[in-house]
Amino acid sequence: MSTFEDVESALHHLYACHYDIPGSSTLSYDNLVRKDLQSRVSVLHCTSIYSCPLKFINLRCITTLIERFSLVTTLPDHSAGLEVALAAADMGARVI
């Protein structure tokens, strides 16, 4: 499981590698980095269980990811049925 800090660190490294910026650990996840990454990066809310029981899906995380990173947020859905996918789309997930 990744923390928000892990995700921010990965985003810093993606940005720094794309622009060949040394010392990516000193970058902050500011509006410049966020706007640049918005057209090229998405954040996935994943579970590692297949087929995932509803009690482990935690759809609230989708809105948290959207608010925190302002990036396209996706849900690789491994649940049975359409309910989770529909709810995720309603909560703002753009790729299911």
Side-chain angles (χ1 to χ4, degrees):
M1 185 167 100
S2 297
T3 65
F4 289 130
E5 291 76 22
D6 293 334
V7 176
E8 283 182 0
S9 177
L11 293 170
H12 294 157
H13 289 294
L14 283 171
Y15 181 81
C17 289
H18 181 74
Y19 290 106
D20 199 22
I21 300 171
S24 63
S25 61
T26 62
L27 286 172
S28 65
Y29 190 70
D30 60 13
N31 287 333
L32 175 68
V33 173
R34 181 178 289 125
K35 286 179 193 267
D36 184 74
L37 294 176
Q38 282 177 336
S39 65
R40 298 182 285 118
V41 175
S42 62
V43 178
L44 283 71
H45 169 51
C46 302
T47 59
S48 59
I49 302 169
Y50 186 85
S51 161
C52 189
L54 292 177
K55 66 182 180 180
F56 295 120
I57 292 176
N58 189 14
L59 287 177
R60 290 182 304 240
C61 190
I62 291 173
T63 54
T64 302
L65 290 170
I66 292 168
E67 291 168 2
R68 176 89 181 228
F69 298 109
S70 299
L71 297 172
V72 170
T73 302
T74 71
L75 175 76
D77 183 23
H78 297 289
S79 65
L82 296 175
E83 295 83 5
V84 172
L86 293 172
D90 190 50
M91 295 178 84
R94 302 238 332 256
V95 179
I96 307 294

